[in-house]
Amino acid sequence: NQGRLEGIADLRDESDRDGMRVVIELKREAQPQVVLENLYRQTTLQTNFGTIMLALVDGQPQQMALRELLQHFLNFREQTLTRRYSHQLEQAESRVHVVEGLRLALTHLDQVITILRGAPDGTTAKGTLQAQFNLSDRQADSILAMPLRRLTGLEQQNLQTEFTELTHQIQDLQKLLANRHELLKALKRELRALKRRHSDPRRTRIQPEGHLSIAAPEEDQTTVQTTVEITHRGYVRRRKGTPAQLNGRQSKRAKADRAIVADARDSVTNTYVTQLSADLLVFTGSGKAYGVKVQDIPLQTGRERGVPLVTLLPSAQSEGQPEGIVAQFARSNYPETIHVVLLTQQGRVKRVPLSEFALLTGRGLVALKLKAGDQLLCASLVEATAAEIVIATSAGRLLRFQLSELPIMSRATLGEQALRLHKQEHLVGFVTLQTEDDLLLVSQQGYGKRIPLNVLRLGHRGDIGTHALQLSPKTDALAAIAPAPPTAEATLFTDANRAAGLAIDTIPLWGKEGLGSRLLKLNPGETVIGVTTTAGSNLENSE
């Protein structure tokens, strides 16, 4: 709470009757080992302390080293055992002496009874027994105190058993006291028994150094450049340095059907040149935003595909598939002048300041509220002064209106209704452009064209829009809309996992009328499902 420790998102006390338990949840960008070492060093999670080995030795206070202290403890335990075994030997010898007297009396039972009958009192009987059988005072007293039940056969057998056990015990105790090696063996057995009965895991460690040090980072993450690549199927990988130029993407429109450059599953759709300390801002279909540290993305040195981006989002695992991710942007700063425009499948659109996503946690943040059955369709970064937005439907209908018609909203709000969808029509996406820019429209059957933005009627949010692609046959539909800078390159993706690249300037420029030209020759049953361009808004790569 005081800002002394960074990277902790939440702290929970889960202590119960079984013991103490504290759960520390980290922010997505936090490094667990660094946070743990900071906790050790700055809190009482781990306490380092010194000790003074001061103890009484032979009645005198003495400061000792650990080895000396342990040796004195062992000497003390040896003395304690010697006194204990001496006492036990004394007790056993005393008892066996009494048992010998009782056994002697039972052996000469008739004589003992005669003496007791003829004696006028107990003192006379005791003296006569001592004189007759050479007994001690304790033996004579025990005979006089012996109850009549001791005369039974069972009691006589018990006395014999007790005598035998006492004899063996005395022999063992005498051996321990006479042989120091045997005494130390008994000491070890006792210590092991104490350990089994009372031991628990050690809670302290003895270290030569009294503190933990945090290793310095190998490189300055604020300056090291790296390249992040995201493929069509949602895989992400990181490479050192700047990205290599894509090969084989330039092709003429007349030979576009030969421009299949790669399996679409491995084709790179987004490339970001950024720093290791930057974030990858990820938006999912559920309307949430997550932050992934670029340094946490696995580094690839070969042509590996990478890892599914969704697996780097701990709290987004329930969304299941990489297709749950609808957009991602690499950011190292979050200026107020850049906004995020979000569009849902049901046609709701909103604009949120990028700065609202600056403090992302591992649990993510809600980017917008969604009605039941609705999902986030696409997202884009725009300058606060960007001119216009164009929203496209599958029927070839385009709605163009000013960005200023979208009010700036907070994250936890519903968007405004951008346009109403007709039956059997769905939204394809949107782009943000300047008035002098061109649009690229591509149909599912592989037809496409470029159109100048200014040929579309400038309307208002909620208008019906303009038909800009006359689809034929009736089974065709608009598959994608994208910016079309003349020096850029477009990549078409099909549902057969094929990808074709062609230069934007090879695509003819048309007006609102017409279907355009065939950009890609498709196999039977194959359709175009998406288009990306290598240029457009550079905000996603700008820092």
Side-chain angles (χ1 to χ4, degrees):
N1 291 338
Q2 298 174 357
R4 293 167 51 201
L5 288 175
E6 297 181 353
I8 296 177
D10 192 21
L11 191 68
R12 298 197 309 275
D13 183 3
E14 296 185 358
S15 302
D16 55 20
R17 66 181 64 182
D18 296 326
M20 296 175 60
R21 175 180 171 87
V22 177
V23 178
I24 300 173
E25 290 189 1
L26 302 184
K27 296 180 180 178
R28 185 65 186 88
E29 66 275 8
Q31 296 185 24
Q33 188 60 33
V34 173
V35 173
L36 182 61
E37 291 178 350
N38 278 325
L39 285 169
Y40 283 154
R41 189 175 62 179
Q42 300 187 41
T43 74
T44 55
L45 179 64
Q46 172 178 285
T47 302
N48 299 323
F49 57 90
T51 60
I52 299 177
M53 304 296 186
L54 183 64
L56 290 176
V57 179
D58 299 328
Q60 298 294 324
Q62 183 176 339
Q63 185 173 336
M64 297 168 286
L66 181 60
R67 182 181 180 88
E68 292 179 278
L69 189 70
L70 292 175
Q71 186 60 56
H72 279 290
F73 172 74
L74 291 177
N75 294 340
F76 166 74
R77 292 300 303 166
E78 184 178 354
Q79 294 171 8
T80 302
L81 279 183
T82 301
R83 290 197 298 268
R84 180 196 300 172
Y85 292 154
S86 297
H87 176 69
Q88 291 177 357
L89 177 61
E90 182 181 343
Q91 293 291 102
E93 289 176 340
S94 175
R95 178 59 183 169
V96 78
H97 178 67
V98 172
V99 172
E100 284 179 339
L102 294 175
R103 291 177 65 244
L104 180 63
L106 291 176
T107 303
H108 302 86
L109 181 59
D110 293 339
Q111 298 179 30
V112 170
I113 293 174
T114 301
I115 293 173
L116 293 177
R117 283 177 178 177
D121 52 42
T123 304
T124 304
K126 178 180 177 181
T128 304
L129 288 173
Q130 288 180 298
Q132 184 75 27
F133 299 105
N134 193 24
L135 299 176
S136 65
D137 286 346
R138 293 182 62 244
Q139 288 176 325
D141 289 337
S142 64
I143 292 172
L144 292 174
M146 182 176 61
L148 292 176
R149 67 171 180 272
R150 283 293 179 92
L151 302 178
T152 64
L154 180 60
E155 287 294 330
Q156 294 181 34
Q157 180 61 39
N158 290 340
L159 282 175
Q160 179 60 40
T161 302
E162 183 181 3
F163 179 78
T164 303
E165 291 176 352
L166 288 172
T167 302
H168 290 311
Q169 181 182 0
I170 291 172
Q171 292 174 354
D172 292 339
L173 291 172
Q174 289 175 342
K175 181 180 179 181
L176 288 171
L177 293 173
N179 189 335
R180 185 170 182 270
H181 178 70
E182 294 297 327
L183 181 66
L184 294 180
K185 286 172 62 176
L187 174 59
K188 291 180 182 179
R189 287 194 300 269
E190 182 177 278
L191 292 176
R192 292 192 185 102
L194 290 172
K195 180 179 179 181
R196 285 192 301 269
R197 188 161 61 248
H198 301 295
S199 68
D200 55 10
R202 185 178 180 89
R203 299 182 183 181
T204 59
R205 287 182 296 168
I206 300 174
Q207 296 179 334
E209 297 180 1
H211 64 279
L212 289 172
S213 61
I214 300 176
E218 296 180 0
E219 48 191 359
D220 187 357
Q221 297 180 357
T222 62
T223 59
V224 174
Q225 277 198 330
T226 189
T227 300
V228 177
E229 296 177 339
I230 299 176
T231 69
H232 176 65
R233 296 301 297 271
Y235 285 78
V236 62
R237 62 194 178 209
R238 179 167 61 88
R239 301 181 184 278
K240 286 187 177 181
T242 58
Q245 296 295 326
L246 299 177
N247 296 323
R249 290 297 184 91
Q250 297 292 340
S251 61
K252 296 297 182 182
R253 178 179 54 84
K255 297 182 179 181
D257 58 309
R258 302 176 185 174
I260 304 301
V261 296
D263 188 322
R265 291 171 292 187
D266 296 321
S267 296
V268 176
T269 58
N270 296 88
T271 301
Y272 306 104
V273 180
T274 183
Q275 288 88 33
L276 286 174
S277 58
D279 301 320
L280 191 64
L281 183 60
V282 181
F283 291 87
T284 66
S286 63
K288 294 192 70 175
Y290 298 89
V292 177
K293 276 293 183 183
V294 170
Q295 63 189 8
D296 294 335
I297 298 173
L299 181 65
Q300 305 291 342
T301 56
R303 295 301 301 169
E304 298 91 343
R305 183 185 299 178
V307 298
L309 178 55
V310 72
T311 62
L312 300 180
L313 311 180
S315 301
Q317 295 294 337
S318 59
E319 297 185 29
Q321 301 296 327
E323 286 76 12
I325 295 176
V326 299
Q328 63 281 317
F329 317 105
R331 301 300 312 173
S332 61
N333 53 26
Y334 297 83
E336 295 285 347
T337 57
I338 297 180
H339 295 163
V340 183
V341 177
L342 306 168
L343 178 67
T344 73
Q345 292 178 347
Q346 295 181 1
R348 288 191 170 272
V349 64
K350 67 181 290 187
R351 182 164 52 134
V352 183
L354 179 63
S355 58
E356 292 217 9
F357 302 96
L359 300 176
L360 283 171
T361 66
R363 293 175 294 177
L365 294 174
V366 175
L368 80 165
K369 286 187 176 180
L370 294 171
K371 288 188 174 181
D374 199 6
Q375 283 192 342
L376 181 63
L377 177 65
C378 51
S380 179
L381 299 183
V382 298
E383 287 278 5
T385 57
E388 297 164 1
I389 291 180
V390 179
I391 300 177
T393 73
S394 58
R397 185 160 54 99
L398 305 182
L399 174 61
R400 171 190 172 199
F401 60 92
Q402 295 285 344
L403 177 66
S404 57
E405 292 193 21
L406 286 181
I408 299 175
M409 300 181 176
S410 63
R411 292 183 295 101
T413 58
L414 285 170
E416 302 285 347
Q417 194 66 43
L419 77 168
R420 300 290 178 181
L421 295 172
H422 298 159
K423 290 183 179 180
Q424 298 181 346
E425 184 184 32
H426 62 271
L427 287 176
V428 172
F430 76 94
V431 294
T432 56
L433 297 171
Q434 300 292 332
T435 306
E436 63 276 8
D437 292 337
D438 295 338
L439 280 173
L440 172 62
L441 305 177
V442 181
S443 76
Q444 293 179 354
Q445 298 300 320
Y447 292 88
K449 65 180 181 180
R450 285 188 298 154
I451 63 171
L453 181 59
N454 53 22
V455 304
L456 299 176
R457 179 176 60 87
L458 182 61
H460 300 281
R461 182 177 55 81
D463 287 353
I464 192 171
T466 305
H467 276 281
L469 190 66
Q470 280 63 44
L471 299 169
S472 178
K474 299 298 183 181
T475 56
D476 202 0
L478 181 63
I481 179 175
T487 58
E489 181 183 300
T491 304
L492 282 64
F493 297 93
T494 75
D495 57 1
N497 288 327
R498 294 199 303 163
L502 63 160
I504 292 290
D505 57 8
T506 63
I507 302 174
L509 196 63
W510 289 57
K512 292 184 297 180
E513 307 299 327
L515 182 61
S517 303
R518 179 176 288 277
L519 304 181
L520 180 64
K521 184 177 180 180
L522 301 174
N523 297 325
E526 186 180 17
T527 60
V528 175
I529 59 174
V531 175
T532 62
T533 56
T534 56
S537 173
N538 291 325
L539 296 176
E540 298 156 10
N541 293 324
S542 66
E543 299 299 339

